[in-house]
Amino acid sequence: MNAKIRSKKIQQIVVTAEQMRNIEERIFSAGIPVAALMEKVAGKITHKLQTLFSEKSITSADKIGILVGPGHNGGDGLVVARELYFLGYNIVIYSPISKPKELTESHAKYAISLGINFSSNIKELYDCDILIDGLFGFGLEREITGEIANAINIINNLNKFVISIDLPSGIHTDTGEILGTAIRANITLCLGLWKQAFLQDTGLDYIGRAELIDLDIPRADINAIIGEYPILNRITQDTAINSLPLPRPVNCHKYKNGHLLIIAGSKQYTGAAILAGLGARASGVGMLSIAVPNSIKPWLSLQLPESLIIGCPETENGAILELPEDIDLNRYQTIVCGPGLTTEAQAIVERILTANCAIILDADALNILAKLNPVLALSSRKFPTIITPHFGEFKRLFPELIALEKNQIILAKQAAELTGAIIVLKGARTCVATPNQVWINPDSTPALGRGGSGDVLTGLLGGLLPPIILAEKPVELIVNTAVWWHSQAGILAATERTELGVDAYTLTQYLIPALTQFLKTIN
């Protein structure tokens, strides 16, 4: 496998702390000494640090503080300290913990013999220009307390630029939970394989920018522990783009590109239907129909002139009362239901749950579903079913799962196993779970944390599904594509307009530019 292909494959893999330990044990059992791997790890970290120092204009005149713990993460830090010292950098090693592991202790003795400043006094870090965190690596499970907790809090209050090795010290490897306290890093250099903590919302404020240091772990050792087709994966640009229905056949027409029905909107939430429609428009779906209350039909026709707008009888409050009698749900490959619907539309949701096609439930459709029996209603369906809750909606749908589990990745997969549905658990790291696999989107932006962003995603996903269904391809990967594409549009918009300037309507205007920009880079 050439280096470029390997890099793409490695970027997709995610492991738990236990899996990482087992992979390392296989490597050591095969004959590589722990010390040799530590040297290799530190060499790669040092090379990466030189690039980062250049970005931050750190020179040999600046003071670099390296935080060292008792385990092999501390050993990595000590070897990095030694290599940076040999390169002429001004190094101080801060080691607040006694009784290190044997190998770590050996590196500490050698660092001292070289004359590197070695101290347990945290005041040595006060005048440092940058800090390297090697206190604790992956696998930490106990809370940090006492003097070490106090030291970490002092370090965080120093407001130094911090680069953490593998994980910020104090982060739980699998859940991202803060174990009492944790180092707040600006950059984290994840070693070998991505850990689950990087893909959960909990610890993201502490991880900062994350980069993977590939340690050339043999794929055979990885596969032996997690399998050739891992349960947990990162959505990458390549996996997302490969699922797009592009290029289209030269003889395609609107019916080959599928027909989507969106049921959305109310007098109060007209915009939700418009935003979902604009998201669907960007997908290139062949035909788009949108069912809305009669009173807001003119607004939809104005914004989406190419769409078929279906007026529906409405309640006194301006919500859809019922679908027109002549509407034939069998005409559509996919039905989206929920954005701006209000909870008055329970009869609509109950009818859509019986539809003989793929459905996507979002927003108020999920609030209505929570009042029914969500597990029974979803597991009874024989056609592809996708639900797109944020965490609050997820808690209302599956309170019994929330009571027993904190790990959002596990929660999403458990919900998928219970219902047979595809769960899109939205957040800073959106999780796409099927009964067999989980995919996490590693790239997003706080700019998407605004009302209406989810409506855009629902419409985009709805529009991407029909041609996939007509081609009789599995729908799971196109869900990943929609999640990735939506986030890339947000990132591009935030880059050009700042994170404050990306309202949901603006987001719809960046869907096509974001995709176009990426396609140009690969052609």
Side-chain angles (χ1 to χ4, degrees):
M1 184 184 297
N2 69 44
K4 188 174 182 180
I5 294 174
R6 175 189 161 79
S7 177
K8 290 179 179 179
K9 296 283 187 182
I10 289 296
Q11 286 288 344
Q12 184 178 312
I13 296 169
V14 185
V15 293
T16 64
E18 182 181 7
Q19 288 169 337
M20 193 68 208
R21 275 192 293 267
N22 292 338
I23 290 168
E24 286 189 345
E25 285 174 9
R26 280 183 60 88
I27 296 170
F28 299 143
S29 296
I32 186 170
V34 176
L37 182 60
M38 187 175 287
E39 291 289 337
K40 178 170 186 171
V41 169
K44 292 207 168 195
I45 294 171
T46 302
H47 180 73
K48 182 63 182 178
L49 287 175
Q50 288 178 275
T51 302
L52 296 175
F53 291 170
S54 178
E55 291 177 5
K56 296 294 295 179
S57 299
I58 297 293
T59 69
S60 58
D62 296 304
K63 190 175 181 181
I64 300 170
I66 299 188
L67 287 52
V68 171
H72 287 165
N73 192 254
D76 293 337
L78 286 164
V79 181
V80 168
R82 182 196 73 203
E83 293 303 299
L84 291 175
Y85 176 78
F86 287 151
L87 289 169
Y89 289 96
N90 180 14
I91 303 296
V92 56
I93 296 172
Y94 169 65
S95 181
I97 305 171
S98 59
K99 298 181 181 179
K101 286 187 175 181
E102 182 179 357
L103 182 57
T104 303
E105 185 174 19
S106 296
H107 284 301
K109 287 180 179 179
Y110 186 54
I112 293 170
S113 76
L114 293 172
I116 300 175
N117 188 357
F118 199 104
S119 177
S120 60
N121 188 343
I122 198 167
K123 291 183 179 179
E124 291 286 349
L125 303 179
Y126 288 6
D127 59 349
C128 287
D129 297 283
I130 195 165
L131 301 179
I132 312 298
D133 164 34
L135 285 174
F136 302 105
F138 80 89
L140 184 69
E141 294 185 348
R142 60 179 173 80
E143 282 206 353
I144 298 176
T145 58
E147 292 183 11
I148 302 302
N150 290 335
I152 288 175
N153 292 334
I154 290 171
I155 289 165
N156 287 339
N157 288 330
L158 292 175
N159 292 320
K160 303 289 185 181
F161 193 90
V162 179
I163 301 172
S164 282
I165 297 173
D166 206 17
L167 271 171
S169 297
I171 300 286
H172 191 286
T173 310
D174 295 343
T175 66
E177 183 183 1
I178 309 306
L179 297 171
T181 188
I183 291 287
R184 193 177 292 274
N186 299 91
I187 297 175
T188 301
L189 303 177
C190 182
L191 302 180
L193 297 168
W194 289 109
K195 319 301 188 300
Q196 286 193 17
F198 290 88
L199 300 170
Q200 306 220 45
D201 291 2
T202 319
L204 292 183
D205 285 343
Y206 290 78
I207 287 171
R209 189 176 99 207
E211 297 189 29
L212 184 69
I213 303 291
D214 185 1
L215 302 180
D216 305 311
I217 299 172
R219 189 59 194 257
D221 291 317
I222 298 171
N223 291 351
I225 301 302
I226 66 173
E228 189 173 352
Y229 301 100
I231 291 174
L232 183 59
N233 305 270
R234 291 169 84 248
I235 300 173
T236 65
Q237 292 180 336
D238 291 290
T239 58
I241 218 74
N242 289 342
S243 299
L244 274 173
L246 289 173
R248 286 181 165 175
V250 293
N251 64 343
C252 76
H253 50 73
K254 61 186 177 183
Y255 297 111
K256 283 188 176 181
N257 292 325
H259 197 167
L260 168 66
L261 171 64
I262 297 176
I263 305 171
S266 58
K267 189 177 292 185
Q268 185 177 3
Y269 300 114
T270 303
I274 293 171
L275 292 168
L278 292 172
R281 170 196 275 174
S283 74
V285 68
M287 294 282 289
L288 174 59
S289 295
I290 309 177
V292 296
N294 275 315
S295 61
I296 69 170
K297 183 179 175 180
W299 295 101
L300 272 293
S301 297
L302 185 65
Q303 291 287 339
L304 295 148
E306 76 283 3
S307 303
L308 173 61
I309 310 300
I310 303 168
C312 302
E314 58 190 273
T315 68
E316 290 182 2
N317 296 319
I320 297 176
L321 176 65
E322 59 185 4
L323 296 175
E325 291 183 4
D326 60 347
I327 194 168
D328 180 8
L329 299 184
N330 293 320
R331 295 178 59 196
Y332 311 101
Q333 285 77 48
T334 304
I335 299 174
V336 163
C337 182
L341 203 60
T342 82
T343 54
E344 288 189 71
Q346 181 166 325
I348 305 295
V349 174
E350 290 177 342
R351 182 176 175 186
I352 297 309
L353 284 165
T354 67
N356 295 329
C357 66
I359 66 170
I360 302 170
L361 302 181
D362 182 36
D364 282 320
L366 298 177
N367 294 325
I368 291 168
L369 181 63
K371 297 177 183 179
L372 306 174
N373 184 329
V375 174
L376 179 62
L378 295 173
S379 61
S380 299
R381 283 187 45 79
K382 298 179 181 178
F383 294 84
T385 306
I386 302 166
I387 63 172
T388 60
H390 55 61
F391 196 66
E393 291 163 338
F394 186 93
K395 287 194 290 187
R396 291 192 286 275
L397 288 165
F398 306 107
E400 68 285 355
L401 296 182
I402 295 291
L404 300 173
E405 181 59 60
K406 293 181 179 180
N407 188 319
Q408 293 186 33
I409 295 170
I410 294 175
L411 284 170
K413 186 159 190 304
Q414 287 177 339
E417 290 169 348
L418 278 173
T419 63
I422 298 173
I423 313 293
V424 181
L425 182 53
K426 296 183 292 192
R429 295 292 179 265
T430 294
C431 174
V432 179
T434 72
N436 301 313
Q437 275 192 309
V438 179
W439 292 77
I440 314 288
N441 183 34
D443 300 314
S444 192
T445 169
L448 293 175
R450 297 181 67 169
S453 292
D455 301 326
V456 177
L457 172 61
T458 299
L460 177 65
L461 173 56
L464 287 171
L465 275 179
I468 297 298
I469 291 169
L470 286 173
E472 298 183 347
K473 295 180 179 179
V475 303
E476 292 89 344
L477 293 182
I478 201 66
V479 181
N480 298 342
T481 299
V483 168
W484 173 84
W485 184 357
H486 178 261
S487 69
Q488 293 302 309
I491 291 168
L492 178 61
T495 300
E496 295 189 359
R497 298 173 59 92
T498 80
E499 292 172 357
L500 304 180
V502 190
D503 58 89
Y505 178 79
T506 297
L507 176 64
T508 68
Q509 307 308 298
Y510 277 84
L511 288 168
I512 295 302
L515 183 61
T516 303
Q517 177 175 291
F518 179 73
L519 290 174
K520 284 180 179 178
T521 67
I522 62 174
N523 291 331

